[in-house]
Amino acid sequence: MDATKGSTMALTLGIVGGGQLARMMIAPAVELGVQVRVLAEEEGMSAELAATATGDYRDLDTVRAFARDVDVVTFDHEHVPQDVLRALVADGIRVHPGPDALQFAQDKLAMRARLAELGMPQPEWAAVTDAAGLQRFLDANGGRVVVKTPRGGYDGKGVRVVSDPAEVADWFDGGALLAEELVDFSRELAQQVARSPSGELRAYPVVETVQRDGVCAEVVAPAPRGGARLTEVAASIGTGIAEGLGVTGMLAVELFETTDERLLVNELAMRPHNSGHWSQDGAVTGQFEQHVRAVLDLPLGDPAPRQPWAVMVNILGGPATDSLESRFPAALAAHPSVKVHTYGKAPRPGRKVGHVNAFGDEVDAVVYEARAAAAFFAD
């Protein structure tokens, strides 16, 4: 970062991807005096407020032209190809997180191999290239396993639970698949960590996530029935991965808590994450502000909760008969202490169109407030 430039004019952050995560970075960036530019995939996306360019994030010329006038490039998603990322770095453009780290969020097989090298706790896994290899893994792991496409899957996409190789026969043409043991878990957790290019680290409280149909539906922060050991182990895993992979920005580590009280790493995201939306209103420094601080190498903020409990409930689908905006008056009147965030997306079954955050002293009361407020936006 040019110190002279930084002292005479606002820093400019370029975000590749125009979704809701980019949208929610805009306000905290503005509060910090940071200019935001967004490369959106198409017109009318969630982050259109700051969309200064529209184009294909897979096209080097498009991304290079966008990146030329910003101080740092970061991302709304992990899908920018490695050759594009590495070309930007070769051009001298600051990219956070960089390609060396992002490769492990882009390729689940690479992630598993690297986490094994780092000694991180994981499910049993294997790369399988044909039906015979998958059958061997099935035989060694109870006859029922999880199979994932290594690249591109999210929110339950690219994931199948199978007991016969024929159930993923249509996937084998795409190369090696990731096979994992079907973990006997009691609940799912998530650990978020922020890391700056200079190596400063901040860990958020470990949270409990509730999934429905492969999509995050609710988050409770901190995770109930946690205790000092859970908090310490989860934070150790998160910070170890952030340092071991050289992550810059926000890192979310999705975890399984097993029935015998172990923690196993499920998946990674190197950006703000659904499991951290609670922090927008429930932490001293929310994940979106923290990501902006981290990628610009500004001092990181305090991740501590403002109140004993915070709960996030996703608005999935939205109303079938009218708009999200039409539901605001009744929702806000009934639940004045709840914060509502919408993404500028048209309602559609199963689609993440917003979320609500609630907080307070008693977890059951906070859960009720969040669920009741979110219910106003559904039919």
Side-chain angles (χ1 to χ4, degrees):
M1 188 180 301
D2 188 315
T4 303
K5 180 178 180 181
S7 64
T8 58
M9 65 179 65
L11 295 170
T12 302
L13 178 64
I15 306 171
V16 177
Q20 66 259 27
L21 301 180
R23 176 190 181 98
M24 289 183 277
M25 288 185 224
I26 297 170
V30 170
E31 291 169 353
L32 290 169
V34 174
Q35 295 182 357
V36 179
R37 297 179 183 173
V38 171
L39 173 60
E41 292 86 339
E42 57 190 38
E43 300 289 339
M45 294 190 69
S46 293
E48 64 180 340
L49 285 170
T52 55
T54 304
D56 188 348
Y57 59 80
R58 298 165 296 187
D59 179 71
L60 175 57
D61 290 339
T62 298
V63 179
R64 181 178 267 153
F66 170 75
R68 190 172 295 128
D69 299 322
V70 304
D71 292 291
V72 173
V73 172
T74 193
F75 309 96
D76 172 82
H77 55 71
E78 293 101 343
H79 306 313
V80 180
Q82 279 285 312
D83 60 342
V84 173
L85 297 172
R86 294 187 184 279
L88 295 183
V89 172
D91 289 346
I93 295 166
R94 290 174 171 82
V95 178
H96 295 302
D100 288 343
L102 270 172
Q103 64 180 319
F104 300 112
Q106 294 174 329
D107 188 319
K108 295 180 179 66
L109 282 170
M111 176 198 76
R112 287 292 180 214
R114 181 65 180 131
L115 292 184
E117 292 173 352
L118 293 174
M120 293 296 162
Q122 304 187 82
E124 294 294 327
W125 66 277
V128 296
T129 57
D130 54 29
L134 178 53
Q135 187 60 59
R136 287 192 294 272
F137 190 80
L138 280 161
D139 293 342
N141 289 277
R144 190 166 170 80
V145 302
V146 178
V147 179
K148 300 178 180 179
T149 55
R151 304 181 69 88
Y154 65 97
D155 285 347
K157 300 176 178 67
V159 179
R160 294 178 188 171
V161 178
V162 307
S163 54
D164 189 306
E167 295 174 76
V168 289
D170 55 319
W171 283 357
F172 278 121
D173 290 343
L177 301 175
L178 172 61
E180 298 178 348
E181 69 169 303
L182 188 59
V183 175
D184 185 14
F185 62 89
S186 57
R187 59 177 174 170
E188 293 184 72
L189 305 171
Q191 174 66 56
Q192 282 195 302
V193 175
R195 182 175 180 271
S196 67
S198 57
E200 187 182 6
L201 282 162
R202 291 286 186 275
Y204 283 79
V206 63
V207 302
E208 180 174 341
T209 66
V210 178
Q211 315 292 318
R212 297 197 184 105
D213 299 323
V215 177
C216 180
E218 298 182 4
V219 174
V220 180
R225 308 178 308 280
R229 178 183 173 276
L230 177 70
T231 300
E232 181 180 345
V233 172
S236 176
I237 290 171
T239 55
I241 292 173
E243 291 184 311
L245 301 186
V247 177
T248 48
M250 289 299 302
L251 168 71
V253 182
E254 298 179 26
L255 298 162
F256 293 127
E257 184 177 30
T258 66
T259 54
D260 57 357
E261 299 185 340
R262 292 175 297 136
L263 292 184
L264 302 177
V265 177
N266 180 18
E267 296 192 354
L268 306 178
M270 296 180 190
R271 51 173 168 75
H273 188 256
N274 204 162
S275 65
H277 288 354
W278 69 273
S279 67
Q280 263 181 303
D281 308 297
V284 175
T285 307
Q287 65 164 344
F288 298 101
E289 177 183 344
Q290 196 78 292
H291 186 76
V292 172
R293 289 186 182 217
V295 300
L296 291 173
D297 211 10
L298 297 171
L300 298 182
D302 185 353
R306 292 181 179 274
Q307 296 196 42
W309 297 101
V311 174
M312 187 281 309
V313 174
N314 270 328
I315 301 170
L316 299 173
T321 55
D322 51 17
S323 68
L324 286 165
E325 291 72 23
S326 69
R327 306 295 180 93
F328 266 87
L332 299 183
H335 301 281
S337 66
V338 167
K339 299 291 188 179
V340 181
H341 302 268
T342 56
Y343 305 157
K345 292 181 173 182
R348 190 176 69 201
R351 190 182 204 187
K352 293 179 184 175
V353 294
H355 66 271
V356 300
N357 287 330
F359 17 79
D361 294 329
E362 299 292 335
V363 64
D364 290 343
V366 178
V367 169
Y368 168 78
E369 283 288 318
R371 289 177 179 173
F376 277 87
F377 297 92
D379 288 330

